[in-house]
């Protein structure tokens, strides 16, 4: 496998967009590996992800962005990002007491499923220090209460910056993250909420699902924004429940959905397959 | 197939309930065809559905209720209902403009899938008079506006009573039903809401689902209560959608879920497999 | 909505394919409404579906094919087909005794969900003549036994040709269709098999599913080929079952899956979203 | 939570079975916590699982089986097994190279989700010795080839017996287990097959699924019998795939289904919720 370039972009829709972009690639000897586009006709916005092989590409890797900007993007008012298939994301994990998402992610990281490094696990509890140790991942305990929260978060942000973290994953982290932190990692912080949003925003969703007598429970992975559980949704799934299932059953069954939905969302993000626009996520296939 | 008796009951949990009920059946020569029980340990309530063959049952059909009341139910403070497998429910259908649930139900009624008769279709629009005519079902057009609503509903209730209707199905009926009507058909009026409740209660759920960028849309069949879309849930299901799907797509894809969920709910109700308690539905298998 | 052109094509993969095609559209003033491409890297084959608005397209509709052939397709060894969004397909329905798929399709045709006309229903039984009559669709009864089968099929083919049928749908038609008929409607004849292929090929799949004790049953819509139930698969789905479900239950529950899967497959075919290659179907989103 | 008794039984159906069993429990002061019964009317067999609280039960725990046998079971020709809620199963895990099911099970065992101890992991490869070490589980490497297979298996059986193993789980173990081993652990050995059985029995199911062009792939957990992949099915599930998914994609996506289906099956077995009869599994809710 050669290295390939991945271009994510969006702009107001107009004629000739795909032609212009693919001409740029073809003219310089690039072979398109995958291409997906979407026109949101309601808001007249064009979205695209294209990946091409750099093996015989005439423009040197470090100049592709510059050339694309000048020759294509600026003329067509595009918002765009260029990535390369050999980049690895640096991911930090935030957890609280529930461990199922932690184990899930550790198993996948260990198995090399994603192009990520995991240099940091942070928690408001000390419980999972030994799990992290088992997998050889540095673990940092940040006890948090009303008083110290802001200060602790500043320390966490500094630690993430120090570690050059690209992606923050809240893997059932039960603390609401403050506005400065959200801003710093806008579009780069993924949370798993243990409900089928927008149902059961906020605390104790399984208790509320039980009380409401729903017949399906779900989980939602979304980018974190300043509004609690209102961020753009990356993935969701559900599982069937019955009147026999207690709150404890819902919690256990929901856990299976949470860990898979969160993993799918991480996978999409890491593969550069998401574009956020108007609080909705375009998720490429 | 012989006629069988179906007993639905609930009462505070205590020792010996199943033994008492099954002894009553066995002592009188009844053969249990199916039996399902549930103990909600949170509220200490016992629920049961039992069906037995009447072929060699020693108590005459018309006296079973009386005997059961005296020998079992009253001693154990049971709420109970007795049904027989050869009873047919009389169902009335309320529809507005969307026709998919109407066609679905007509197809199933025509195919004899449920033990129901369908003597009445009512609508606030005249559109589907010809569909009803095709299937030979009397159709009644009740135009409804703010002024005439209460009066029209009184006429409808009278018509339903006249027709000895047991079950009212709101098959995408876009009018909010008034309190007297809800009271009259409490536990006997099923609505299909085109969203995964409690998400998107009220109007235009597909538009709101689109705006929120959800990745699954759903439908919910519930018994109608005085609180809009807050009634006890019988069945729910979802279908996966993507950023490519417009509101029109959601409406079409959701329609497939709506008609199946509504049909499943009707099936459960008609088979006497539901008990409502504390705004939750025990749905027997 | 203006008329749009829909181009389906495939060819050996090489550099510049998307650029060449989109340049053809852009150079002539076409606005791309949707574009999806797929490279099967295992066999190095490129597939594409592109749809563009003809409102301001410089090439007259009747000459687009010719121009595209000369300017693009022949140079790149493409297999291609050009369709237009205002074309309606003429569909014939074959049914036997089960009626659920018949009702499903009639409801959708009636509701105008697909761009199809339904001028013919054929059956080896007379049972559903009255259903067809209700919807005003000509119904033809072709009793079939070992002796007359070949002759009857010849008459059917002649009737379909006479009616200029584009698409044959076997909606739970329980007769195996002969080789000449299959050839005549290659890639234009869709069957629904009441099993999750390749499990339970052939007769009585629900009985065999019951005997095997499976926990899910399914249905498969596929293009018909000379090998029974081996044709390229367009869509599949499943539903969960338990030990409690009898063969009759499986038949009923499976019926719900069959009718939806068949409808989804028809929808894809009618929208020109399928390409068959190597007994696999590329199904565009 | 007090200790409770769990009774699993089946026998030819006849009148009075539930009454006889629940009378035995009620007469001795037992409180039924859950009860589920099933009559397979096709073969006239009755199945039941009943769990009752032993807190005030008049018969001492060690005599319950004897009393039940004499007073109920022998008179009604029942096959039955008695378990207690405080028993822990001893589970051995067999793995090969794929690690996802191993991680899944380790995470759940670690989290205390099941009432099991995991004293042994066996593998035909040395790869996962370090994973086992991390979790502190003894790991045994048994290289297997045509020559040594029978002998190695004898050693494995001896090791399992030595460790008093109750349940053998083949968690993507790629060696076909010999007849003596299967006999020894009949009804106590669970395998996960990476296909939706009975489709794709045997080797390389994802390759064959890809070639067949299926639109869903699945996994099946079953008790192992002498016939490869023909054992009674405990659980199955599927995931949707498209023409875009390569064999590698299917393998990865299928892995998520495998690990959940296997876990669900283990959960059911450990909770004493399965009865095997006629190569079908009654799975209680």
């Amino acid at each position: 496998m050669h290295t390939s370039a991945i271009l994510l972009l969006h702009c107001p829709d107009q004629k000739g967009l795909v032609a212009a972009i693919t001409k740029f690639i073809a003219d310089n000897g690039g072979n398109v590996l995958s291409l997906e586009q979407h026109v949101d006709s309601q808001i007249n916005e064009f979205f695209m992800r294209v990946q091409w092989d750099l093996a015989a590409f005439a423009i040197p890797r470090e100049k592709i962005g510059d050339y694309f900007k000048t020759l294509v993007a600026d003329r067509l008012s595009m918002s765009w990002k260029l990535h390369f298939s050999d980049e690895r994301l640096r991911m930090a994990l935030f957890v609280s007491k529930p461990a199922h998402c932690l184990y899930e992610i550790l198993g996948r990281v260990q198995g090399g499923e994603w192009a990520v490094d995991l240099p940091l696990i942070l928690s408001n509890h000390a419980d999972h220090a030994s799990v992290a140790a088992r997998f050889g991942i540095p673990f940092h305990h940040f006890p948090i209460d009303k008083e110290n929260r802001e200060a602790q978060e500043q320390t966490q942000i500094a630690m993430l910056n120090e570690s050059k973290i690209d992606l923050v994953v809240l893997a059932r982290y039960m603390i609401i993250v403050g506005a400065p932190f959200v801003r710093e990692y806008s579009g780069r912080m993924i949370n798993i909420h243990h409900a089928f949003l927008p149902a059961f925003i906020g605390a104790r969703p399984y208790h509320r699902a039980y009380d409401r007598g729903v017949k399906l429970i779900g989980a939602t992975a979304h980018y974190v924004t300043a509004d609690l559980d209102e961020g753009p949704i990356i993935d969701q799934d559900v599982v069937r429940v019955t009147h026999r299932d207690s709150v404890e059953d819902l919690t256990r069954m929901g856990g299976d959905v949470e860990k898979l939905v969160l993993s799918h969302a991480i996978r999409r993000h890491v593969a550069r397959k998401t574009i956020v626009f108007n609080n909705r996520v375009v998720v490429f296939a």
Side-chain angles (χ1 to χ4, degrees), chain A:
Chain A
M1 289 285 290
H2 307 113
T3 300
S4 53
I6 300 163
L7 188 60
L8 285 171
L9 63 87
H10 63 96
C11 61
D13 191 32
Q14 56 177 288
K15 289 182 184 178
L17 290 171
V18 182
I21 297 159
T22 54
K23 182 175 188 303
F24 170 79
I25 297 169
D27 283 355
N28 295 291
N31 186 33
V32 170
L33 300 175
S34 72
L35 178 153
E36 197 176 346
Q37 62 103 52
H38 168 61
V39 180
D40 187 326
S41 56
Q42 193 166 310
I43 54 171
N44 201 43
E45 188 80 6
F46 171 87
F47 300 86
M48 188 164 143
R49 181 187 187 275
V50 59
Q51 181 163 7
W52 70 96
D53 193 337
L54 293 182
F57 199 58
I59 306 173
R61 171 173 175 155
E62 67 280 6
K63 292 190 179 167
I64 297 173
D66 182 45
Y67 280 42
F68 180 73
K69 181 178 187 308
T70 306
L71 298 176
V72 183
D74 283 356
R75 299 179 189 180
L76 297 161
S77 310
M78 290 175 174
S79 299
W80 59 279
K81 278 189 196 164
L82 183 66
H83 305 283
F84 296 97
S85 62
D86 57 3
E87 295 164 353
R88 292 178 69 79
L89 280 182
R90 292 177 62 79
M91 179 166 80
L93 220 53
F94 281 67
V95 296
S96 292
K97 294 207 167 176
H100 55 285
C101 288
L102 172 62
Y103 276 118
E104 178 78 6
I105 290 172
L106 287 172
R108 292 185 193 261
V109 166
Q110 203 71 23
E113 191 176 310
W114 305 318
V116 301
D117 296 315
L118 176 53
L120 281 183
I121 299 176
L122 296 88
S123 182
N124 57 326
H125 295 287
D127 303 47
H128 300 315
S130 63
V131 179
R134 243 177 234 164
F135 286 82
I137 318 275
F139 178 94
H140 299 271
H141 178 205
F142 285 88
I144 287 187
D145 55 32
K146 277 179 192 163
E147 252 91 273
N148 72 0
R149 185 167 133 186
E150 227 165 296
Q152 289 287 62
E153 232 174 49
Q154 285 307 322
T155 317
Q156 291 176 334
I157 296 174
M159 179 178 280
L160 297 181
N161 288 341
E162 173 87 12
S163 272
K164 297 182 195 308
I165 294 300
D166 303 299
L167 173 63
V168 173
V169 173
L170 309 182
R172 292 299 307 277
Y173 183 60
M174 309 307 268
I175 306 284
I176 295 175
V177 170
F181 197 177
V182 168
R183 256 196 313 276
E184 183 88 13
Y185 281 89
S186 170
R188 302 186 299 150
M189 184 188 291
I190 296 175
N191 181 49
I192 182 72
H193 182 65
H194 42 314
F196 181 79
L197 290 176
F200 307 124
I201 289 174
R204 296 166 63 87
Y206 291 132
H207 288 80
R208 289 150 66 204
Y210 177 87
D211 289 341
R212 181 62 187 92
V214 295
K215 298 302 184 188
L216 296 169
I217 56 167
T220 305
H222 62 94
Y223 288 112
V224 178
T225 59
D227 297 319
L228 181 65
D229 298 334
E230 297 281 10
I233 295 171
I234 310 168
D235 197 19
Q236 304 188 283
D237 209 352
V238 294
V239 64
R240 192 159 286 278
V241 298
T242 77
H243 61 269
R244 282 183 301 273
D245 296 307
S246 64
V247 172
E248 291 68 39
D249 292 324
L250 301 193
T251 303
R252 174 181 50 76
M253 297 165 82
D256 288 352
V257 182
E258 293 162 29
K259 72 184 191 185
L260 285 194
V261 166
L262 178 57
S263 290
H264 292 175
I266 293 173
R267 177 174 186 82
R268 298 299 184 175
H269 181 91
V270 169
R272 315 295 192 175
K273 293 197 164 179
T274 58
I275 297 179
V276 176
F277 193 73
N278 275 7
N279 210 44
R280 291 163 47 95
V281 189
V282 172
V283 182
F284 294 105

